[in-house]
């Protein structure tokens, strides 16, 4: 077939090979265990939702809603591929009556979709691990949620490379006053602002603080800070969060200009950032969204949570250590048609006797040398050979592929005993 006819993945969407998947799986189990260790319960929700859900929560003037969503019509229904999980978790909590005088600590993991310009660490289909805590007014929950991130970086060996920045956005009244102050300040420099910044200033002035334009950044350095517009309650809550973080030994950097790309936040917002990934350095972000449940028609309930980008963390894990991918632990070399039945039976016995042992049976009937080469390439630590003589004696030849131990010919029960002993001695099977 001509190469022009070959179908490639959609731009920004990726295929993952087994070696990549194995790192994702390590990260996913670390996230699952982390959530459980803080008393969070798993939820799952659809990938397709009403477009309206995201428009009403994330905000019409945000980048996500105004230009990054995958939307389509299903009959008369305007639908969207979910670009994030918070709005969906809130919708689900209301629909499933999870919030009636109850507190909830929930987590989810899965693909999200945003039509952004793809680059390293930024994809159009990416994966998030997210947590959402509902019903907690006290700022202790903000500290708990942040501590979870801190613990995960330690578990992954990444804590030296990820820093916490945080800010408080105050309540709605503080933000309205601050937005007006920002508009008044920047309106003095209209001629220095590009048209995109001018538009942002009109529709979503807080987002101007995110500008990468050096000229705008110089102006931001002199711009009013939100801290000066905060009400007393927000200020005290933020100080309490910072105190808890200090008590827990979680280092942080307050950033009075930190704003988020989604409109639903109030009070504490935070980002975990690394400078090892280039431009896409935010590996986890979140904050409080006390008005969101009521905004979607539920009983007024505070919320706080975060989501982390699994692809970005996987990139960091891969940069940290070379990943040796093993697609099995024991590779079974089968020499001849007659040996197949015995190979299949012995492999089943191994899987039963040693849970978690990954046994791969070679079924290509190639010469021994060729099969042993495949055994080596598989990353297996052991090969078990079954040929004519083994078959005649009802025994198996065990070869150590990653150690200089001499090969041994063993009965099935001896083979199992030797492999179990290897496992007990710390060889990962
Ligand atoms: P977000 O900041 O939009 O927040 O996304 C959270 C994280 O998802 C980012 O910090 C980044 O690691 C990852 N991410 C976002 N877009 C991409 C992309 N195109 N490619 C790869 N990774 C990406 C939220 O989604 C909120 N729902 C977080 C939250 C939960 N707030 C409260 N609860």
């Amino acid at each position: 077939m001509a190469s022009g006819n070959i179908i490639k993945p959609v731009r920004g969407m990726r295929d993952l090979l087994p070696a990549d998947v194995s790192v994702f799986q390590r990260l996913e189990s670390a996230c699952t265990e982390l959530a459980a260790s803080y008393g969070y319960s798993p939820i799952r929700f659809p990938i397709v939702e009403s477009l309206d859900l995201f428009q009403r929560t994330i905000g019409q003037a945000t980048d996500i809603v105004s230009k990054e969503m995958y939307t389509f019509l299903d009959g008369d229904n305007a639908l969207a591929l979910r670009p994030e999980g918070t709005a969906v978790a809130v919708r689900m909590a209301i629909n499933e009556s999870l919030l009636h005088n109850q507190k909830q600590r929930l987590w989810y993991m899965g693909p999200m979709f945003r039509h952004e310009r793809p680059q390293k660490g930024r994809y159009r289909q990416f994966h998030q691990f997210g947590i959402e805590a509902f019903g907690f007014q006290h700022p202790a929950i903000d500290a708990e949620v942040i501590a979870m991130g801190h613990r995960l970086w330690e578990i992954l060996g990444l804590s030296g490379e990820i820093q916490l920045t945080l800010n408080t956005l105050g309540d709605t009244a503080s933000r309205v006053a601050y937005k007006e102050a920002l508009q008044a300040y920047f309106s003095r420099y209209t001629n220095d602002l590009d048209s995109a910044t001018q538009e942002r200033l009109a529709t979503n002035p807080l987002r101007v603080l995110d500008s990468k334009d050096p000229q705008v950044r110089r102006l931001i350095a002199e711009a009013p800070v939100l801290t000066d517009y905060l009400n007393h309650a927000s200020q005290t809550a933020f100080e309490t969060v910072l105190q808890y973080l200090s008590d827990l030994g979680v280092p942080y950097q307050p950033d009075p200009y930190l704003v988020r790309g989604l409109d639903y936040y109030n009070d504490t917002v935070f980002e975990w950032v690394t400078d090892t990934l280039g431009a896409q350095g935010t590996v986890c972000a979140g904050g409080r969204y006390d008005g969101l449940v009521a905004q979607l028609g539920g009983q007024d309930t505070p919320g706080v949570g975060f989501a982390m980008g699994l692809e970005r963390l996987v990139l960091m894990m891969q940069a940290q250590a070379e990943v040796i991918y093993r697609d099995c632990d024991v590779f079974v070399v089968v020499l001849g048609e007659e040996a197949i039945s015995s190979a299949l039976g012995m492999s089943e016995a191994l899987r039963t006797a040693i849970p978690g042992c990954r046994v791969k049976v070679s079924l290509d009937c190639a010469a021994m040398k060729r099969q042993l080469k495949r055994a080596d390439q598989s990353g297996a630590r052991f090969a078990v050979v079954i040929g004519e003589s083994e078959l005649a004696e009802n025994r198996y030849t065990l070869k150590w592929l990653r150690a200089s131990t001499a090969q041994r010919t063993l009965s099935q029960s001896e083979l199992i005993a030797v492999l179990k002993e290897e496992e007990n001695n710390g060889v990962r099977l």
Side-chain angles (χ1 to χ4, degrees), residues 12 58 64 68 83-87 108 112-133 260-262 264-265 270-272 280-289 303-313:
I58 299 172
I64 298 178
E68 292 170 1
E84 62 107 46
T86 308
Y108 52 87
M112 306 290 163
F113 302 83
R114 295 184 194 176
H115 196 275
E116 297 189 77
R117 195 170 52 78
Q119 64 182 92
K120 181 180 169 190
R122 186 163 71 193
Y123 311 100
R124 291 181 173 175
Q125 174 175 335
F126 60 98
H127 296 77
Q128 283 185 343
F129 162 62
I131 64 136
E132 313 293 352
R260 304 266 304 116
L262 307 97
Y264 48 63
Y265 293 107
F270 59 90
E271 293 191 351
W272 291 97
Q280 302 308 317
T282 308
V283 293
C284 174
R288 219 170 230 285
Y289 48 87
V304 58
F306 66 63
M308 46 184 78
L310 299 190
E311 281 75 6
R312 295 182 188 180
L313 290 165

Side-chain angles (χ1 to χ4, degrees), residues 171-218:
D171 62 3
T172 313
S174 321
R175 274 197 313 286
V176 169
Y178 179 57
K179 281 179 190 172
E180 282 168 10
L182 271 186
Q183 281 168 328
Y185 167 80
F186 279 107
S187 65
R188 307 207 308 260
Y189 305 98
T190 316
N191 294 341
D192 300 330
L193 305 177
D194 56 86
S195 59
T197 309
Q198 287 187 29
E199 197 190 315
R200 272 186 172 177
L201 196 58
T203 56
N204 197 357
L206 289 184
R207 298 295 296 165
V208 174
L209 301 178
D210 265 354
S211 172
K212 305 273 182 295
D213 182 303
Q215 170 88 349
V216 180
R217 291 234 60 88
R218 271 194 295 279

